[in-house]
Amino acid sequence: MTTLFHHDNQPRLEAIELEGENWIGAGVSLPHVAHQRIRTPWSHSRAKRAFDLAVALPSLVLVGPVMAIAAVAIKLTSRGPVFFRQERVGRGGRCFTIYKFRTMHSGRNDEGPLVTKQGDARLTPVGRIFRKWKLDELPQLFN
C-alpha cells in the first residue's frame, strides 16, 4: 500500500497495486501507469529552471495586487490561514508542497469526500468565486 497524498502527516489517499490497476481508497479505480525515471542533461534542467523563473517572477509582479486583495478577502470573510498547503508527489516520486488560497472553511477539508462538487457546504462564499475563476491556483506561481 502506498500513500499518494498526505497533509500534516495524515494519510489522505492510499493506493494498492492489484493486477495492473491502482485501486484508490475512495472506491475509484484507475489504470496502473508505470513510470520510469528519465535522466535529463544538466543543461536542460538549468534551462528549464531559468525559463520557469523568467515566466513566474514577472507573473507574480503582475498578479501581486490580485493576490493581495484575495488574501484580504479570505481573512475578512473566514477564520483560519490564507493559504492551503498540501504535499504532492511529483516527477521521480519526489514530494513537494503546493500552495493555494484556502477556499474551504478552516478544518472542513477533513470532512466529506476528497473531491468537491457543486454546492459543497465546505466552500466559503469567497472560495466559490475563487474556484469559479481559478484564482485559488495563483499561489502556485511560488512553486
Side-chain angles (χ1 to χ4, degrees):
M1 184 173 290
T2 305
T3 302
L4 296 180
F5 300 99
H6 54 87
H7 175 64
D8 296 330
N9 297 323
Q10 297 295 319
R12 292 288 184 243
L13 189 61
E14 294 179 345
I16 303 169
E17 188 173 326
L18 182 64
E19 297 180 12
E21 293 189 21
N22 278 341
W23 293 85
I24 307 227
V28 178
S29 64
L30 298 173
H32 176 69
V33 178
H35 69 83
Q36 178 180 354
R37 180 172 269 181
I38 299 171
R39 289 197 174 269
T40 55
W42 177 83
S43 59
H44 182 275
S45 298
R46 292 283 187 187
K48 182 182 180 322
R49 181 68 177 158
F51 176 78
D52 289 347
L53 289 173
V55 171
L57 292 176
S59 298
L60 279 170
V61 171
L62 290 174
V63 299
V66 173
M67 291 176 69
I69 292 169
V72 169
I74 291 169
K75 268 307 199 191
L76 291 176
T77 60
S78 64
R79 293 182 180 181
V82 170
F83 295 106
F84 169 76
R85 319 180 287 199
Q86 187 178 50
E87 287 221 359
R88 300 270 175 102
V89 179
R91 179 184 285 173
R94 290 179 39 199
C95 290
F96 66 99
T97 304
I98 65 157
Y99 298 93
K100 292 185 176 188
F101 283 121
R102 185 175 51 81
T103 58
M104 292 186 178
H105 293 283
S106 188
R108 299 282 306 266
N109 58 340
D110 296 334
E111 303 170 9
L114 293 173
V115 179
T116 58
K117 56 184 178 184
Q118 193 166 10
D120 196 324
R122 298 173 295 171
L123 291 173
T124 64
V126 170
R128 288 184 205 288
I129 296 167
F130 285 4
R131 288 214 178 168
K132 179 180 179 182
W133 294 98
K134 306 291 187 215
L135 296 176
D136 60 321
E137 308 284 345
L138 288 176
Q140 290 187 50
L141 288 170
F142 291 112
N143 288 349

